[in-house]
Amino acid sequence: MASALRGAILGHVRVPIRTLDRSRSLTCLQTSIRSMSSHGDDHLTREEVVDRVLDVVKSFPKVDPAKVTPDVHFQTDLGLDSLDNVEIVMALEEEFKLEIPDKEADQIVSCPLAIEYIAAHPMAS
Amino acid sequence: MSAAGAAGAAAGYLARRAAQKERVRLLYRRALKDTLNWAVNRHHFYQHASDLREKFEANKHAEDLDTIDRLIQDGEASYGKLRHPDPYIVPWAPGGSKFCRNPPPPAGIEIVYDYGREDD
């Protein structure tokens, strides 16, 4: 009878939030790890990043694919224009689903810089 | 003194040219992004992107600083008219749909799942 009343009351009362007591071990582990969240599981390995960046650069129509190595400079080594550089950065943004701010996009002028930027970006996928 | 003056003028000229080049790159980047936003299908994007590049290439060899400034201004004005009202922004970026959606909860605050057992 008291438990039924308590059940009815608890149906209308909000569960209080209180700071975690460290003596309850297993349940607190399950609630602190967000096990069903898919946030942040797109970690790319560095070889993947290098391969995909090189693929993007090689598939650019004005680029000779044989000359592309992981340390080319777009304008000096590959003979591209600054506008071509902008196009390559946009292609990289599309490939890795990134949003690069304008100031930093201006600075990406070579393959190693692009690889460093993408590998260090937490949301690259 | 005239050499210092000439060097100063050359440095000023180069600084202005560099600033103009940066503005041109920024304008091209934004115009390309808007072209991507407006293009319904991918082949439309390629066509319009080539047209945009032709427009930029046509003015490539302007030399006079004031002409270049005016061309950049005209370009930015026409870009301002062609901006997309609902651009595609990557979801986790500011302005995207997932931005600030599920921030991680503050440390130390948890819901204790002991419904019905609080008195135990």
Side-chain angles (χ1 to χ4, degrees), chain B residues 103-120:
Chain B
I109 303 289
E110 291 285 347
I111 300 177
V112 179
Y113 291 98
D114 59 351
Y115 178 73
R117 282 183 280 119
E118 296 93 345
D119 296 336
D120 296 346

Side-chain angles (χ1 to χ4, degrees), chain A residues 6 84 87 93 100 102 106, chain B residues 25 28-30 53 116:
Chain A
R6 179 170 139 178
D84 294 325
E87 289 181 12
E93 275 191 359
I100 306 180
D102 290 336
D106 229 7
Chain B
R25 286 200 297 267
Y28 184 59
R29 181 178 156 84
R30 291 182 181 153
R53 187 64 197 259

Side-chain angles (χ1 to χ4, degrees), chain A residues 70-124:
Chain A
D71 49 3
V72 287
H73 192 278
F74 297 138
Q75 294 184 29
T76 56
D77 292 338
L78 297 175
L80 294 178
D81 205 4
S82 58
L83 298 186
D84 294 325
N85 199 353
V86 171
E87 289 181 12
I88 284 189
V89 170
M90 264 209 62
L92 288 172
E93 275 191 359
E94 289 196 299
E95 168 74 19
F96 290 96
K97 301 186 206 152
L98 290 177
E99 181 91 7
I100 306 180
D102 290 336
K103 292 288 174 190
E104 295 177 22
D106 229 7
Q107 316 274 340
I108 298 180
V109 286
S110 63
C111 261
L113 278 176
I115 294 171
E116 284 303 323
Y117 185 85
I118 295 172
H121 200 105
M123 303 297 300

Side-chain angles (χ1 to χ4, degrees), chain B residues 20-63:
Chain B
Q20 283 172 347
K21 285 180 191 174
E22 183 163 346
R23 276 176 80 184
V24 169
R25 286 200 297 267
L26 221 50
L27 178 64
Y28 184 59
R29 181 178 156 84
R30 291 182 181 153
L32 206 55
K33 283 195 159 174
D34 272 320
T35 316
L36 188 56
N37 284 327
W38 278 115
V40 181
N41 294 322
R42 190 79 188 180
H43 60 276
H44 295 144
F45 165 62
Y46 291 136
Q47 182 59 44
H48 294 181
S50 327
D51 294 342
L52 179 71
R53 187 64 197 259
E54 297 298 319
K55 281 192 229 167
F56 270 78
E57 294 282 331
N59 296 325
K60 190 169 163 173
H61 298 289
E63 287 298 337

